[in-house]
Amino acid sequence: MRSPTAPPTVRDVAARAGVSPGTVSKALNGTGQLRAATRDRVTAAAEELGFRPNHLAKSLLQGRTYTVGILTTDSFGRFTTPVMVGIEDALGAGRMSTLLCDGRGDPLRERHYVQELLNRRVDGLVVTGRRPDPRPSLGRLPIPVVYVLVQSEDPEDLSLSYDDVQGAALGTEHLVGAGRKRIAYVSGPERHWSTQRRREGVEQALVAADLSLAPELVLMGPWSEAWGRSAATQLLRRDPDVDGVVCGSDQIARGVVDGLREAGADVPGRVAVVGFDNWDVMVEAARPPLTTVDPNLTALGQLAATRLMDAIDGKELPRGVQLQPCDLVLRQSSV
Amino acid sequence: MRSPTAPPTVRDVAARAGVSPGTVSKALNGTGQLRAATRDRVTAAAEELGFRPNHLAKSLLQGRTYTVGILTTDSFGRFTTPVMVGIEDALGAGRMSTLLCDGRGDPLRERHYVQELLNRRVDGLVVTGRRPDPRPSLGRLPIPVVYVLVQSEDPEDLSLSYDDVQGAALGTEHLVGAGRKRIAYVSGPERHWSTQRRREGVEQALVAADLSLAPELVLMGPWSEAWGRSAATQLLRRDPDVDGVVCGSDQIARGVVDGLREAGADVPGRVAVVGFDNWDVMVEAARPPLTTVDPNLTALGQLAATRLMDAIDGKELPRGVQLQPCDLVLRQSSV
DNA sequence: GTGAAAGCGCTAACAG
DNA sequence: CTGTTAGCGCTTTCAC
């Protein structure tokens, strides 16, 4: 016999309303033809019993769960969090829930989670993570998959990210437009994808303006403020005429600004500085506040979720890498 | 008839292995007595078909979903993220999944999500968020609930957090132990719970050391670096003999350190500074790096998940507010 | 309009 | 050891 603490079922509601389970279903879902009085009686009974329709049973029957999995390759961090906020935002509006899995950079663990999500019959999957360079595909799965921030090696997969090259070019064009001629690039480790892509952007923009990126004004190091400070003094030593710096991150930019100011080089009077990330904490605390490139991570998450929902609804998923443009946010470090 | 693209079921596996569905279940779950050969045949068939046991069906049958809901009151942020990492960590080890819901500070939305999670028959619920002051309970639910970081008003609920008073006292004792006598407290907005609790901690520690917190050395403002810088100059003006500062956050502490240094007051030579949060980015970039109080947020998340799993396994959930101790992390701003 | 019956995929209980 | 049966909670024909 049913335990008295077990949640009420359609049958309990049916009994209380004096109808059949089928009728309860129709009444509560607004399907079929029901007399208003019956409908009300059922609704009342459900209310009184605190009836909560079992989503599992529905899913089992309908073959879809209204759930998508989010798999992070590395843990959640500063870059994945805004993306997840965007995903949650877009999915929540479509009444879908998200099952969260943290791969922690372990491919084995990752594979295990994919299996688990498939067992749970999620309708789709978003793969995200910090490292933007191409990573192995999860392979062909029976459900649509969107990679966001991370990039799949398989061109058949849809990978969504922001455009590093365009972003860095945007920041550079801004400096050039303000009349700067001797522009430096200070960024993260040389081997990093972002460092390289952003460098390309800087070079492209300079070339387009009949300028060039002097090799001695390209400085790469760790992604830290300390490195930015150190790079600033190096820059002034290498070329006292440097008048603009495009940075690979806001942390570095903040360090650069501090380093310049403390070396007596006015920002933006003598040197204008542009950051990358639009990370509120860095950007606002810097003196002066940083002009920076905004990769629009939350919008990216929303886009990923939207594409995924389209695919779940039967629309074909685009293929390949799609890069969204970055925006420039003006603050005092460049004007 | 079954669509050829539909995922294979136990029946498909059974047919292929030449056994019955019941046998497949036993073979794949290691229950009951099976001949090794049969088991192998089933395993092989399952493998070949790419069989993924439908978790929904299991859950429906067993009345357990091995899923817990995480409901954030505000969105995910700097404080909730480490907590969620901890939760994920502890739950993942127990092979449970997490369903993520973002209440976005909207009580209506929050209630809606609770209903949705109940419909989905989650085994338990973690409520978290940024604001540490007591908030309305979700009320009696048919599943165990743990509040973490946020605090429920209902003393019947279990609320887990870190101990602001002890944390601030710890930082203060450290300064006192290093011989500091004129200690200031610079923190966030006066009305904030954390600001008040941490002030209590500072006062208690000072009183215990036969010192006291001079009213003119208590400065409250926004949670920003800029405020910390401004507070630093005010402090030096109000009492040039100030020799220690306990700060309400690492951001403020970093501002204080910058403000002091730029006013010519050596840190830690003349003034020792302690922060709060142990936020890597702030703590490491500060000059000098910050001694700070670590609220151990990830451990808190793990604890919450552990308690919840115990409760799901039938163990009674403790009641009331349980505060975990903070740790002190020594760096150069205080020694 | 409403009820009865079948079935989603799985496991547990009981036969054999 | 393995097969058969029943049923988790719900929706969906199809009768009435």
Side-chain angles (χ1 to χ4, degrees), chain A residues 3 6 27 97 108 132 147 158 160 189 232 280 315 329 333:
Chain A
S3 143
S97 296
L108 210 69
Y147 296 79
L158 173 62
L160 255 29
D280 52 1
K315 200 170 149 189
V329 180
S333 70

Side-chain angles (χ1 to χ4, degrees), chain A residues 135-148:
Chain A
R135 49 150 281 151
S137 171
L138 292 178
R140 295 215 88 48
L141 297 184
I143 51 170
V145 181
V146 177
Y147 296 79
V148 53

Side-chain angles (χ1 to χ4, degrees), chain A residues 9-10 25 29 51 54 61:
Chain A
T9 74
V10 269
S25 173
N29 294 304
F51 172 71
N54 189 324
L61 209 51

Side-chain angles (χ1 to χ4, degrees), chain A residues 32 36 79 180 182 192 196 221 225 234 264 271 292 307 317 330:
Chain A
F79 300 108
R180 309 291 170 157
R182 292 289 294 164
H192 279 203
Q196 294 172 14
E225 285 188 56
Q234 287 182 48
V271 186
T292 192
R307 287 276 175 283
L317 212 50
L330 295 178

